[in-house]
Amino acid sequence: MNSNVRPETMERITTKALADAFIEEQVAEVRAQVGDKKVLLALSGGVDSSVVAALLIKAIGKQLVCVHVNHGLMRKDESENVIKVFGEELDANLIYVDATDRFLDLLAGVSEPEKKRKIIGAEFINVFADEARKLEGVEYLAQGTIYPDILESIKAAEGKKAVKSHHNVGGLPDDLKFSLVEPIKLLFKDEVRVVGEALGLPHAMVYRQPFPGPGLGVRCLGAITRDRLHALREADAILREEFDKCGLAEKVWQYFIAVPDIKSVGVKDESRYEGWPAIIRAVNTKDAMTATIEEIPYAILHKITDRITHEVDGINRVLLDLTPKPIGTIEWE
Ligand code: XMP
């Protein structure tokens, strides 16, 4: 698949049969492209990189080297899940790098959102490049580029101004020159999911809500501290659990907690209890350019508030963000 233009004749992949045909075609193409060489992949656990990993495991097995970098800004149990699915169930050649300290040390005291994004993006490349340099015989880099990414970069090249610097894996340093393997680059997101299910990936992974490259780093607002990051992760896990239970997880496009760097006065066990607020954000959108607010039933909001304030150390209030995009962006930073 060398062209970056989706042919008008390419049928939309909507069924398992079409996905199976696509997989078969890509398996043959990847085998022909890489021969017996090794292929490297940054596996975040997101839908796109996971589908590429599963596809390449099918095509070339252990010739694929997956590197999962835990930047310390993952959601609860996310890295563990990547290890379980790819390291154990799919028996992938998986390198797990816990780089939490590297990232959190660099981010200490940094409160400006764009600076935080730049640090996270650059350090991600540093950690990934460090791992790549340790390996021998790698000639290819696989990427989970999808068709909207290609359309976005065409827009960027036309000089449209971005609101924030969204980035995942940027360019690698000059000493690491790889040829690219991009098996899903002509697919739209819905097609990637159909292919993911046909490859046997877990439903929760294939239908995972979008999660930004900088992770919880842009939800732990202002200068990140380990205690507030921990509180955010725990509160977010409760929100996800409750959304799962009541069916909202299937319905809402993206939902998460943000925790700002402010404390308010509360009372617990008859004593003064200062804590951070947990802000619930739950939005629906088609393309993330605009977004509307999901109306969450009060009974569910009460349950979530009750659980978060009782179960998460350091959180003493729960707030609901009612702002559509525009004017608010989906993420707070
Ligand atoms: P905003 O906050 O710009 O977010 O309204 C729109 C969508 O993009 C996600 N997002 C990112 N995704 N890398 C990503 O891959 C990033 O740096 C990034 N920043 C925001 C956000 O979660 C939402 O789905």
Side-chain angles (χ1 to χ4, degrees):
M1 213 183 262
N2 290 321
S3 165
N4 275 352
V5 182
R6 183 173 167 124
E8 274 176 27
T9 51
M10 187 169 156
E11 194 173 354
R12 194 88 174 197
I13 302 171
T14 51
T15 61
K16 170 136 180 20
L18 289 168
D20 285 341
F22 172 83
I23 292 164
E24 205 177 305
E25 182 191 295
Q26 285 309 310
V27 163
E29 238 178 77
V30 168
R31 282 184 187 152
Q33 184 187 359
V34 309
D36 60 0
K37 299 294 185 297
K38 281 191 195 151
V39 181
L40 186 61
L41 171 72
L43 176 60
S44 67
V47 184
D48 305 333
S49 66
S50 296
V51 170
V52 169
L55 188 58
L56 295 194
I57 290 166
K58 193 174 171 76
I60 55 171
K62 300 257 168 163
Q63 280 167 251
L64 175 71
V65 184
C66 300
V67 177
H68 176 69
V69 175
N70 178 357
H71 49 22
L73 303 165
M74 306 293 282
R75 287 172 295 187
K76 193 170 181 180
D77 296 334
E78 212 153 25
S79 285
E80 291 78 359
N81 204 31
V82 169
I83 294 170
K84 182 170 157 278
V85 172
F86 290 96
E88 294 165 20
E89 290 166 16
L90 294 177
D91 193 25
N93 201 346
L94 173 68
I95 298 171
Y96 170 68
V97 189
D98 183 355
T100 302
D101 288 339
R102 277 177 75 159
F103 280 86
L104 295 189
D105 288 351
L106 281 172
L107 287 163
V110 183
S111 57
E112 210 268 301
E114 280 300 291
K115 225 185 217 170
K116 286 168 68 180
R117 282 174 172 275
K118 296 231 155 68
I119 289 172
I120 297 167
E123 190 58 8
F124 190 92
I125 291 167
N126 290 339
V127 174
F128 186 69
D130 286 351
E131 291 307 312
R133 288 191 190 100
K134 288 183 205 160
L135 299 166
E136 277 177 18
V138 176
E139 291 193 10
Y140 293 90
L141 180 72
Q143 284 189 337
T145 314
I146 64 172
Y147 205 47
D149 300 332
I150 290 176
L151 299 177
E152 272 294 307
S153 30
I154 295 171
K155 252 203 281 173
E158 286 167 355
K160 301 242 168 50
K161 197 166 164 257
V163 176
K164 3 183 141 160
S165 54
H166 283 202
H167 52 127
N168 300 322
V169 185
L172 286 170
D174 284 346
D175 64 311
L176 292 169
K177 284 258 176 283
F178 299 118
S179 304
L180 292 182
V181 177
E182 297 178 300
I184 58 171
K185 72 177 176 185
L186 296 185
L187 302 192
F188 288 100
K189 198 78 175 191
D190 53 314
E191 299 179 293
V192 177
R193 297 193 208 277
V194 179
V195 170
E197 290 222 284
L199 283 162
L201 285 175
H203 183 84
M205 188 168 250
V206 170
Y207 284 88
R208 194 184 88 145
Q209 56 166 318
F211 187 58
L216 298 183
V218 290
R219 297 177 182 171
C220 189
L221 309 177
I224 298 167
T225 56
R226 288 174 195 246
D227 53 355
R228 193 157 49 90
L229 179 62
H230 179 73
L232 159 63
R233 183 176 286 122
E234 294 299 317
D236 187 70
I238 291 173
L239 178 79
R240 288 199 286 147
E241 206 180 303
E242 292 303 324
F243 266 41
D244 263 336
K245 276 195 222 157
C246 69
L248 278 173
E250 292 283 320
K251 185 174 167 240
V252 182
W253 196 80
Q254 196 171 18
Y255 50 95
F256 56 86
I257 296 284
V259 177
D261 186 15
I262 50 167
K263 280 194 170 175
S264 70
V265 178
V267 56
K268 192 178 190 180
D269 303 328
E270 293 171 33
S271 302
R272 183 183 171 101
Y273 174 46
E274 291 185 9
W276 304 288
I279 302 164
I280 299 175
R281 186 125 174 90
V283 299
N284 289 310
T285 177
K286 282 205 161 53
D287 56 7
M289 301 300 289
T290 61
T292 55
I293 296 308
E294 173 70 23
E295 289 186 19
I296 310 166
Y298 261 90
I300 294 165
L301 287 171
H302 284 307
K303 173 102 188 281
I304 293 166
T305 303
D306 193 55
R307 282 199 59 195
I308 291 180
T309 51
H310 283 92
E311 293 175 34
V312 183
D313 254 2
I315 303 275
N316 68 354
R317 283 173 201 268
V318 174
L319 313 181
L320 178 63
D321 184 351
L322 291 173
T323 322
K325 176 181 180 177
I327 186 163
T329 51
I330 293 176
E331 302 292 345
W332 271 54
E333 292 190 334

